């Protein structure tokens, strides 16, 4: 869901120095992307090279994180050899996003021209945008997030 708005600040609008200000913003709310837990290596003893498509078996679905539905290492186990019962696709969700970009601008009018000064704040509240967690059950870092997707707050004066 995205909200965008522009507010032409009405105070002293006709005054050349104090008037002519605008305030605008874009607020974004986004859910995380669906994730599927995977297994590495050859597990089926069939000689197939497609075992990377096999998925782990769920043993404790109640141990999912309540807040962001990222799996904890103890909630699923690696399937035994020749065991094809799988956890379904898109069982987990990555972190969502909540971002606010703001702009404060001043419009200047001269006889034959108009100019605008802008102060832009991207990711105004400096919230981290977390990458998806590791979904390979065999990995020691399963379920952990090791990086961010975007930069921190940025301020731009134009």
């Amino acid at each position: 869901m995205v909200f965008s708005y522009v507010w032409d600040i009405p105070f002293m609008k006709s005054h050349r120095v104090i008037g002519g200000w605008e305030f605008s913003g874009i607020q974004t709310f986004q859910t995380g992307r669906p994730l599927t837990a995977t297994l590495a290596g050859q597990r089926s003893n069939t000689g197939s090279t497609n075992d990377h498509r096999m998925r782990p078996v769920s043993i404790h679905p109640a141990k999912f994180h309540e807040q962001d539905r990222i799996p904890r290492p103890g909630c699923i186990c690696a399937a035994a050899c020749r065991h094809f019962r799988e956890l379904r696709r898109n069982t987990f969700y990555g972190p969502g996003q909540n971002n606010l970009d703001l702009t404060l601008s001043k419009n200047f009018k001269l006889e034959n021209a108009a100019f605008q000064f802008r102060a832009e704040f991207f990711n105004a509240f400096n919230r981290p945008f977390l990458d998806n967690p590791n979904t390979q059950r065999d990995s020691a870092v399963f379920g952990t997030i090791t990086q961010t997707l975007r930069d921190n707050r940025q301020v731009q004066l134009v």
Side-chain angles (χ1 to χ4, degrees):
M1 183 174 4
V2 177
F3 296 100
S4 62
Y5 48 88
V6 177
W7 180 39
D8 188 11
I9 301 173
F11 308 113
M12 303 288 235
K13 193 171 186 172
S14 62
H15 196 279
R16 292 183 76 175
V17 176
I18 300 173
W21 287 93
E22 290 180 351
F23 179 74
S24 59
I26 300 173
Q27 176 71 56
T28 305
F29 300 100
Q30 184 176 7
T31 61
R33 295 190 342 209
L35 304 173
T36 302
T38 60
L39 295 171
Q42 209 281 342
R43 300 207 173 250
S44 64
N45 285 340
T46 62
S48 171
T49 59
N50 290 327
D51 279 0
H52 65 279
R53 294 182 182 154
M54 288 185 65
R55 293 186 287 273
V57 177
S58 175
I59 57 172
H60 296 294
K63 290 187 178 181
F64 295 150
H65 286 274
E66 295 297 325
Q67 181 180 5
D68 48 18
R69 296 182 59 188
I70 294 173
R72 293 183 186 179
C75 71
I76 62 178
C77 69
C81 291
R82 296 177 303 279
H83 186 57
F84 286 95
R85 206 176 49 145
E86 304 178 330
L87 198 63
R88 66 181 175 81
R89 286 183 65 235
N90 301 332
T91 305
F92 311 109
Y93 288 88
Q97 296 182 12
N98 178 359
N99 183 46
L100 179 62
D101 297 331
L102 296 173
T103 300
L104 182 63
S105 58
K106 166 78 167 109
N107 297 312
F108 297 96
K109 294 180 184 176
L110 300 175
E111 292 179 15
N112 295 330
F115 300 96
Q116 184 179 66
F117 168 77
R118 298 172 63 92
E120 299 174 328
F121 304 88
F122 301 100
N123 190 9
F125 293 124
N126 205 25
R127 291 189 173 119
F129 292 100
L130 300 175
D131 196 3
N132 287 331
N134 181 304
T135 59
Q136 189 173 3
R137 179 56 187 106
D138 312 75
S139 172
V141 293
F142 172 73
T144 61
I145 297 172
T146 57
Q147 65 185 13
T148 59
L149 290 174
R150 294 188 192 167
D151 294 329
N152 296 328
R153 179 188 311 127
Q154 295 180 357
V155 178
Q156 177 174 297
L157 302 175
V158 183

